[in-house]
Amino acid sequence: KCAEGLLSVINDVLDFSKIEAGKMVIVEEAFSPEALCEEVCDMLIALAANKGIELSFLVDPNVPLAALGDPAKLRQILVNLIGNGLKFTDAGGEVLVKCSISTTIPTTTNKGPRDDAPSSY
């Protein structure tokens, strides 16, 4: 677990370098959002327990069993967000991780309003 945390920090530093150089690559592969969330929470549960914090996660029923995206980047983001949640939560507190899905439909493009955009939401 400690090695995974260290690897995450190293990957963060490397990613910042890639972003600055304009060389960031986003991989597209199938993964399970629920399994990824559970994996990250399992990785951080000892940290939470050591601080006396309850760490739990909830998966919205609308979350698909499989998604297409970059699971390594999402894992990095989740480790950072949940890690910060644990870092800034006092003993006796709770960090709840909710896995949900949201769809955003752009209503404009660089060329102006889209013809096929819904008129109301």
Side-chain angles (χ1 to χ4, degrees):
K1 303 282 182 194
C2 290
E4 289 174 356
L6 180 58
L7 181 60
S8 177
V9 170
I10 292 169
N11 284 335
D12 287 348
V13 171
L14 292 173
D15 280 348
F16 286 130
S17 299
K18 288 177 186 176
I19 291 169
E20 288 177 356
K23 305 261 188 220
M24 174 61 77
V25 175
I26 303 295
V27 176
E28 197 170 281
E29 61 186 65
F31 70 98
S32 166
E34 181 176 355
L36 181 63
C37 184
E38 184 174 11
E39 175 188 318
V40 172
C41 286
D42 286 347
M43 186 171 73
L44 297 172
I45 194 76
L47 175 63
N50 288 341
K51 284 194 70 179
I53 298 170
E54 183 180 342
L55 174 62
S56 54
F57 79 97
L58 172 66
V59 179
D60 190 291
N62 294 332
V63 172
L65 296 176
L68 196 57
D70 193 329
K73 298 283 186 280
L74 183 55
R75 182 180 297 105
Q76 244 181 317
I77 292 166
L78 289 173
V79 167
N80 287 331
L81 288 174
I82 298 167
N84 282 340
L86 294 171
K87 183 177 179 180
F88 296 108
T89 299
D90 294 326
E94 177 183 8
V95 172
L96 173 64
V97 179
K98 182 178 178 187
C99 182
S100 62
I101 189 164
S102 170
T103 304
T104 303
I105 301 171
T107 57
T108 61
T109 64
N110 292 338
K111 298 175 185 174
R114 284 184 27 197
D115 292 335
D116 62 337
S119 57
S120 62
Y121 294 96

